[in-house]
Every structure is written in structure tokens, then in C-alpha cells.
Amino acid sequence: MKTSFKYISYFFLMILGLNLTLSSCTSDLDVTPKDDDEFLSETFFQDPASYKQVLAKLYSGLYVGGNDGDNKPDIAGIGGDFSSYLRLLFVMQEFTTDEAIIAWADGTLPTLNTQTWAPANEFLYGTYSRAFYEISLANEFLRQTSDDKLTSRGVDANLKAEIANFRAEARFLRAFSYVNLMDLFGNVPITTEKDPVGFFYPEQKSRAEVFAFIESELKDLDNSLVATKTNEYGRIDKTAAKFLLAKIYLNAKVYTGTERFNDAAKLSSDIIATSGYTFANVPYKFLFSADNNRNGAQNEVIFPVVSDGNAIRATGGGMSFILHASIGGSMDAAAQGMNGGWQGIRTRKEFVALFPDATATADKRGTFYTSGQTLSIANVGTFTNGYAVTKYTNVNSDGTAAQRNDIPDTDFPMFRLSDVYLMYAECAVRGATGTDMTTALGYINKLRTRANASAVTTANLTLNFILDERGRELFWECHRRTDLIRFGKFTGGDKIWEWKGGTQNGAATASFRDLMPIPAKTIQANPTLKQNPGY
């Protein structure tokens, strides 16, 4: 990757030592400086480089939970490792589904394995708080970069033009957090840079109102984000906004009650035809290796969450968590490029069943470690119960070592073109206008050919097949919970997996769990918030 943005992010985290506290009564932040660095003050912004440093803080917040990596947590009361955005999103999207299960018994973490969570769950509170922290930081950056502010500081025209790009990226990152909040919690407050900083109760909006706000923002950002593939690696461009918009259209029936598959299909076609992002014609494993920013995989990754063992010191968040926690039993940590395993995450037998038997011609996406592991999970707390997963690795694609073995270099592919292929195919199966099954089949078989899986025909393209194929292609990429809900298979009894509902054989769960509860601590802080039904 280009080093300029990556290292400015690390430098920024090291010098500021900032520790902001989520206000107890608002979704915005008290951004009064906590130390002599006077972050986000007039003095701070006298340095022209400060604007990019704040933008770097916004991006790094997706990976680390505080300054100096996981130290000095951003959010009071939540450790920097546990409050990593990527780590929390992975917990919400994967542990609650058939794709993953974790052995640890930290606090209320086991209830996420079994769909038995309650409003007091601290991981739900962490997720809610982290997303609103990012929103609040984006809001304050937008306040500090208004035309009036920039003019009063004597910012020259060239820097103003660059800051305009920064503002668009901040708005995208804010929209990204609102999508996650809408998806997980439904009815949440909306705060923007136009709201005051300080004591007030932000008004809770309906899920449909949040959807409308996000849609408006993402459509407007098409006019202000930089052109596709003209930004530094790891930063947002127009295609990222189109992707996120296509994704909320794909799930619009869940969010608003109205289908928008036609719109999702149109945007997917546009991204495939005109974005400049191309299918990575490399082995599937290259997409998840330590050098996936430069081995050809980067051609299809629209939005990576950047990791770097030397520049971004996250010991317990982000990819450090995903890799360390997925190693245990008889696995050789060094073979994964790591210095040890935390014996936590495996997958469930129902997900393994989506792949053919392990033969020389099997689907290469089925990256399971089986030696010493049982297929079935009799004891959730025993790592060797359940197959381990080796999808992500901290080894370069040519077999050479990464920069270090305690913190990985592997970037997380939050958005990639393969997902757009699958979105188009799903829209086609659902009968969206402007799509055709022959094109959809071509996209599906392109993915399957890369994976060494057998080709399929249009007769195979059913909704159940699409859901399964999304699992095979995108597992452990923070999509599964959302996908299962869209297909009506997250709760209820249509799809059962081990330990769903709290029993080994699995059981149906109540449909109200398609939404997470508003965290109890959040409602205590803002009593105007109404809890989701069922909780």
C-alpha cells in the first residue's frame, strides 16, 4: 500500500494520546481536549497537516479501539481491544450465525453464540457505542472544516480543495456506521454536524427514516467523493458509496418494508461495468494473505480495512483478533504467520456442509483445519470441538513471512467486487428489471472457477443456492447475519444449526431477534429511547 496515509495514521495515534468519552446523554461527543495536545482545537488546526491527521483517526477507528493501537481506549469503560470496530462487527455478524462460534466465556459473550442475548449484553453496548463514537468524531471534523472555519484560519485554496475530499470521506464513514446501526438495532438517533455539542437527548428515528438519511447521503456523495481508484489505497472513492447504497437497497425490504431489488441491480451493473475494479484472477487464498494489498487481490477490493504489523499496533483488535482467536488445538500458529493462538473461533458443522467433501477437486474456499478437531460441537468451550478455519493468514502469497508475527499485515476486505457479482445474481433470481440469468450465471461461475469448484447451470440458480454461495464466497467477511435475515433464515426454524437457541442440536428462535436490543446502558443514559419489541 502507499505509505503516506498508513504512517500518518500511526503517527497521529502516537502523538495525540486522546481519550474521548461518549457523552451519557447524547450521541455526540464532548470533544474538549483531555490533554495538552488540544485535539480539534483552533491551535491544533493551525497546522495544515492536522486535517489529514483527523481523517486518519477516522479510518484507523475501524481497526483499533484507541490511540497507540488498542491502548488509551476511545470509549471510557470499554477496553481498546474489545471495542475495536472490526472486532465487534465480526462478533455481531458471525458468532450469531452458522459461520462461527467462540469458546470464550467472557461476560455475556456466550449468549451471542446461542441467540439468547439480552439488553444488558456488554458487546452490544460496545458495538452501539463504537459506531456512535465514529459518527461523533466525523460530525466534529465536519464542524471544524466548514467554509467559515477554513476561511477564518486562512486556509489556502489548494488545501481547501483537499479538505473537501476529506469531508466527503468523513461523511461516507459516518454513513457506514449508520448502516451498521440501522442493520443491527433498527430505530436509532441521527446526529449530524448541525447538531449542538453538549447535553441533549437526540431524537430516536424509525429504521425507515435512518434508511432515508443514509440513502440521501450516499447519493449526494457521488458528487463529492473522488473518482474511482484515484485515492490512496485504503481510502474511499465513489464506488464505495455506490456499493454501500446497493447493499442497503438489497436489504431495503428488511429495513423499510419495501423491496428495492431493481435499484440494487442497477447499481451492481454500474459498478461491474464502469468502476474500474476488476475480478482478481488469482488464487482465492491470495485475497486473505498478508500481502493482499499488492498481490493482485487489491484489484477487486473496493474498501479494505487496512492492517499493518508495524504501522498499526493493534494487539487485540481487528485482524489480530480474527487470526489469533482462530488458532488453537494442534494447529501450527507459525504456518498462519502468527506467534500463537487464543483457541477461540471455529465454525459449525452446518456451515461445513455447504462445501463438498475434501478431495483434490474440492472447492478451495472451504479452508477448514480438521486434524484433532471434531465436526460436531459437544462443548462450546472446547476449541477442538468444531472445525477450525484458516481463511485468513499472515503469510505472504509467495510463502514469505510478513513483517511480524504478533500483529498481522492482512487487510480486511470489507467491500469487494465478488460481492457485487453475488448481489447482481441474487437480484436476477428475484426477478429485478434489467437483469438476466445468463449474465448472473457467468458471474457465479467466475467465482466458482477461481475456487476450483464445479460450474453450475441456470437451473441451479435458486435463492437457496445464492444464500449458500454467498456463504462459500464471503464467509467471515461480516455479511452472514444480514444475509440470513434477508432470506428469512436467521431466526425461526427454517434454518437450524448447532447451539442456535441454546441447545446442541439447535432450536428455533423468536423472530424479534432479527433486531438486536437497544443496549440497556444507552436507554439509561437517554430515557427517551424506546426498546425494540421482544426485549
Side-chain angles (χ1 to χ4, degrees), residues 99-146:
E99 286 190 353
I101 194 167
I102 191 160
W104 305 343
D106 301 78
T108 58
L109 186 61
T111 66
L112 296 169
N113 287 328
T114 57
Q115 293 195 1
T116 57
W117 51 77
N121 186 291
E122 65 267 38
F123 298 93
L124 291 172
Y125 176 66
T127 304
Y128 192 97
S129 299
R130 168 55 64 183
F132 268 117
Y133 173 84
E134 287 289 306
I135 289 166
S136 300
L137 195 60
N139 285 343
E140 186 59 21
F141 178 66
L142 293 170
R143 292 186 190 102
Q144 294 290 344
T145 54
S146 66

Side-chain angles (χ1 to χ4, degrees), residues 239-247 271 302 415-416 419-420 423:
T239 299
K242 288 181 179 179
F243 180 103
L244 191 54
L245 186 57
K247 184 67 74 174
I271 292 169
I302 296 166
F415 300 167
R416 58 188 179 97
D419 193 354
V420 184
M423 284 195 280

Side-chain angles (χ1 to χ4, degrees), residues 64-377:
V64 298
N67 296 300
D68 190 16
D70 294 332
N71 296 321
K72 301 177 182 176
D74 293 322
I75 302 167
I78 306 174
D81 52 354
F82 279 91
S83 65
S84 159
Y85 202 137
L86 177 56
R87 176 170 173 168
L88 287 166
L89 193 59
F90 188 90
V91 167
M92 294 296 124
Q93 285 284 354
E94 302 297 344
F95 295 173
T96 59
T97 76
D98 58 335
E99 286 190 353
I101 194 167
I102 191 160
W104 305 343
D106 301 78
T108 58
L109 186 61
T111 66
L112 296 169
N113 287 328
T114 57
Q115 293 195 1
T116 57
W117 51 77
N121 186 291
E122 65 267 38
F123 298 93
L124 291 172
Y125 176 66
T127 304
Y128 192 97
S129 299
R130 168 55 64 183
F132 268 117
Y133 173 84
E134 287 289 306
I135 289 166
S136 300
L137 195 60
N139 285 343
E140 186 59 21
F141 178 66
L142 293 170
R143 292 186 190 102
Q144 294 290 344
T145 54
S146 66
D147 285 339
D148 288 346
K149 288 276 190 181
L150 298 181
T151 299
S152 70
R153 297 179 189 135
V155 174
D156 66 43
N158 289 334
L159 181 54
K160 275 187 176 181
E162 190 174 14
I163 290 171
N165 294 334
F166 297 167
R167 286 174 59 86
E169 292 172 67
R171 288 173 60 198
F172 171 88
L173 293 171
R174 181 176 66 182
F176 175 75
S177 282
Y178 272 120
V179 169
N180 291 321
L181 287 164
M182 172 181 67
D183 182 74
L184 288 164
F185 301 102
N187 306 332
V188 297
I190 297 174
T191 62
T192 72
E193 70 277 15
K194 296 177 182 178
D195 288 309
V197 175
F199 187 96
F200 79 105
Y201 292 136
E203 181 183 355
Q204 188 176 22
K205 301 292 186 181
S206 71
R207 208 179 197 186
E209 288 174 310
V210 180
F211 180 97
F213 170 76
I214 296 166
E215 179 186 20
S216 175
E217 282 286 282
L218 293 174
K219 289 171 75 173
D220 186 66
L221 283 172
D222 190 56
N223 300 316
S224 50
L225 282 167
V226 299
T228 295
K229 306 199 82 170
T230 61
N231 220 340
E232 293 174 283
Y233 176 82
R235 288 173 60 189
I236 295 304
D237 60 27
K238 288 180 185 293
T239 299
K242 288 181 179 179
F243 180 103
L244 191 54
L245 186 57
K247 184 67 74 174
I248 68 167
Y249 285 153
L250 191 71
N251 292 286
K253 181 68 180 294
V254 174
Y255 301 147
T256 71
T258 302
E259 292 182 356
R260 301 285 295 272
F261 295 117
N262 292 346
D263 293 319
K266 185 175 185 300
L267 279 169
S268 297
S269 296
D270 183 41
I271 292 169
I272 293 167
T274 68
S275 72
Y277 287 94
T278 57
F279 180 76
N281 192 22
V282 296
Y284 181 75
K285 65 180 182 179
F286 281 27
L287 295 165
F288 314 100
S289 65
D291 58 344
N292 61 351
N293 63 305
R294 61 184 184 276
N295 64 13
Q298 76 277 10
N299 294 327
E300 77 169 59
V301 179
I302 296 166
F303 177 22
V305 176
V306 174
S307 177
D308 187 288
N310 286 334
I312 304 177
R313 303 297 298 278
T315 57
M319 287 301 303
S320 185
F321 163 71
I322 294 172
L323 268 162
H324 274 118
S326 61
I327 297 171
S330 65
M331 297 175 71
D332 179 7
Q336 292 295 96
M338 301 302 290
N339 63 348
W342 296 348
Q343 309 213 40
I345 315 171
R346 304 90 74 204
T347 193
R348 312 191 202 211
K349 67 178 183 180
E350 292 80 8
F351 182 71
V352 175
L354 297 185
F355 294 85
D357 293 337
T359 66
T361 58
D363 191 327
K364 299 298 184 183
R365 297 171 297 189
T367 50
F368 305 118
Y369 181 88
T370 62
S371 180
Q373 305 287 132
T374 62
L375 176 61
S376 189
I377 302 171

Side-chain angles (χ1 to χ4, degrees), residues 86 89-90 93-94 412 414 474 476-480 482:
L86 177 56
L89 193 59
F90 188 90
Q93 285 284 354
E94 302 297 344
F412 185 85
M414 188 66 74
L474 302 171
W476 284 29
E477 295 181 49
C478 295
H479 301 290
R480 188 61 166 177
T482 303

